[in-house]
Amino acid sequence: MPPEAEAAPDAAASVAVAPAPAAGAAASATERPRIPVRSGPPPKPAPVEASSKEAEPTPAERAREVAARAGRADFAELEGLVSACTACGLCEGRKHAVFGTGAQQQVRWLVVGEAPGEQEDRQGLPFVGRSGQLLDAMLASVGMSREQDVFIANVIKCRPPGNRNPKPEEVAACSPYLMRQIALLKPERILVLGRFAAQTLLGTEATIGSLRGRVHTLKTDEGVEIPLVVSYHPAYLLRSPVEKARAWQDLQLAVQP
Ligand code: URA
């Protein structure tokens, strides 16, 4: 679904392997145990004990597992975890998981979008289409570039089919990656683009109109407080260029020391 809809709104069975007989230790015919002769129908297989069944993990269990692994990873390991992630169904349709790109040291802004689109899925990079060009122009207007000053990432790392809205279980499975990116990058500011990303990061259903225009605070699990500014998604600005003036105000707010 296009961003800003509201504003335009925006078993593994473990196999026990018997040890192979040592070379030269084959039993002789006389030592071979006798096999009892069976009469009648074959015995029914023993019922599988519930405790020995491998249950599919629930979405909440998967999210906890992702969070545990991501929480221990350094930045390079985190990128590897994201590329190999199978925590939700989105992995099935992806060409690339999109980890993010940009500065990793002295990061001034972390820019957070929604999810990769078709081009981003193809190239494995965030914001590479027309929205990306507009984002680069917006950053340049405040003297920043994606290479030197900001890291760009999305809430969801794999493209939802047909660019539909991510489902809650997909958000739950993927959010730990973004949280770890925030903890490792320690950006000075977070600029959140679009209703979906803003609502996810701030844990609210509030409209983008009510979230813009003030500085929020994101508190990491480590207790670090990072100022967070919400603005319109560039895809929305391409459809509604009249809102660019407001986006400019948001950038001015975010750039304040
Ligand atoms: N829209 C997003 O939210 N993220 C991208 O990476 C591209 C388009």
Side-chain angles (χ1 to χ4, degrees), residues 79-95:
E79 183 159 13
L81 289 177
V82 168
S83 334
C85 183
T86 57
C88 78
L90 294 181
C91 63
E92 284 157 27
R94 74 175 174 224
K95 293 192 173 63

Side-chain angles (χ1 to χ4, degrees), residues 2-87:
E4 259 57 278
E6 142 247 319
D10 198 355
S14 69
V15 178
V17 179
S28 73
T30 51
E31 293 163 340
R32 200 175 297 145
R34 295 188 52 197
I35 300 167
V37 177
R38 178 171 48 74
S39 62
K44 287 196 183 138
V48 179
E49 295 295 325
S51 59
S52 68
K53 271 190 207 160
E54 281 288 340
E56 272 286 305
T58 63
E61 287 166 342
R62 281 180 200 231
R64 274 198 294 277
E65 163 132 19
V66 169
R69 288 197 197 174
R72 294 188 293 265
D74 66 22
F75 212 68
E77 288 165 347
L78 192 64
E79 183 159 13
L81 289 177
V82 168
S83 334
C85 183
T86 57

Side-chain angles (χ1 to χ4, degrees), residues 129-132 134 233-241 244:
R130 285 182 64 222
S131 305
L134 179 54
H233 194 286
Y236 169 67
L237 294 175
L238 287 171
R239 294 194 305 273
S240 308
K244 284 184 182 173

Side-chain angles (χ1 to χ4, degrees), residues 218-242:
L218 183 113
K219 197 164 179 182
T220 68
D221 289 345
E222 294 75 23
V224 179
E225 295 192 345
I226 305 177
L228 182 154
V229 170
V230 172
S231 190
Y232 293 118
H233 194 286
Y236 169 67
L237 294 175
L238 287 171
R239 294 194 305 273
S240 308
V242 68

